[in-house]
Amino acid sequence: ASYAAVDQLLEFSRAPLSPDKPIVVTTLVDSSDLTMAVPLGRLISEQMGTRLANAGFTVRELRFGNALRIREESGELVLSRNLREISRGVGAQAVIAGTYTPAATRVFVNARLIQASTGDLLSAVDFDLPRGADMNSLVPPVTDKTEEMEGDWEYSHHRSCWADPGC
């Protein structure tokens, strides 16, 4: 699914991309908490970087937890200012960033190819992955109690430590 997503991002890009200029691939994050990434987000990002490299593109991976932010006036997802600056610093032509949304039986993924210099959306792709034992080991399962527990310190601490095994 990740390889097909990259193929679609490239095929439908509004601007041609050069294999000689880097594309930055960031870690996909949870859509309900843009600062949180779990193993699934890192795995999808790594697979996307692999596909780009195998297609002949120069790839820079950034484990950048807050690549996206929500623009307050419109609610849209945009690149954070820090990521734009880093991308320009490495001479990136584009950035791949995105989110995943866990649900009971599937995990929904959105990836965006964004022009580094302007922040303009070049293309986007959505796909979903089925839940199962492997998926549940990569992303916390969704339970009825999850919403009730969000304010609980122990739950919040455990959830934030999900992405950091040393926590």
Side-chain angles (χ1 to χ4, degrees):
S2 300
Y3 281 20
V6 169
D7 294 345
Q8 288 180 23
L9 288 171
L10 295 173
E11 179 181 349
F12 295 109
S13 177
R14 293 182 351 190
L17 298 174
S18 167
D20 301 324
K21 294 184 81 182
I23 296 174
V24 171
V25 180
T26 67
T27 301
L28 276 67
V29 295
D30 188 317
S31 64
S32 64
D33 181 354
L34 298 180
T35 63
M36 185 177 147
V38 297
L40 175 67
R42 289 189 290 278
L43 176 63
I44 292 171
S45 299
E46 289 169 1
Q47 290 173 340
M48 290 179 150
T50 298
R51 183 63 168 185
L52 286 167
N54 289 344
F57 288 93
T58 302
V59 178
R60 299 274 193 276
E61 290 183 353
L62 290 180
R63 301 206 189 279
F64 202 84
N66 55 352
L68 297 172
R69 67 175 176 79
I70 296 176
R71 183 175 286 158
E72 288 185 27
E73 62 275 6
S74 65
E76 71 179 309
L77 287 173
V78 295
L79 281 181
S80 72
R81 192 174 112 188
N82 288 343
L83 183 60
R84 279 196 314 264
E85 291 170 4
I86 291 169
S87 299
R88 286 183 192 134
V90 298
Q93 62 185 322
V95 175
I96 292 181
T99 60
Y100 56 85
T101 304
T105 62
R106 309 199 73 67
V107 176
F108 299 92
V109 180
N110 173 275
R112 297 163 183 238
L113 180 66
I114 303 166
Q115 192 166 40
S117 60
T118 64
D120 290 344
L121 183 65
L122 297 175
S123 61
V125 65
D126 300 303
F127 61 96
D128 59 275
L129 303 167
R131 293 293 285 222
D134 287 338
M135 181 62 67
N136 289 337
S137 71
L138 296 172
V139 65
V142 176
T143 66
D144 292 339
K145 292 194 163 219
T146 300
E147 287 184 25
E148 294 172 27
M149 297 168 63
E150 288 290 341
D152 180 70
W153 181 86
E154 186 175 341
Y155 173 77
S156 298
H157 179 71
H158 171 73
R159 183 171 177 186
S160 66
C161 288
W162 184 268
D164 182 4
C167 185

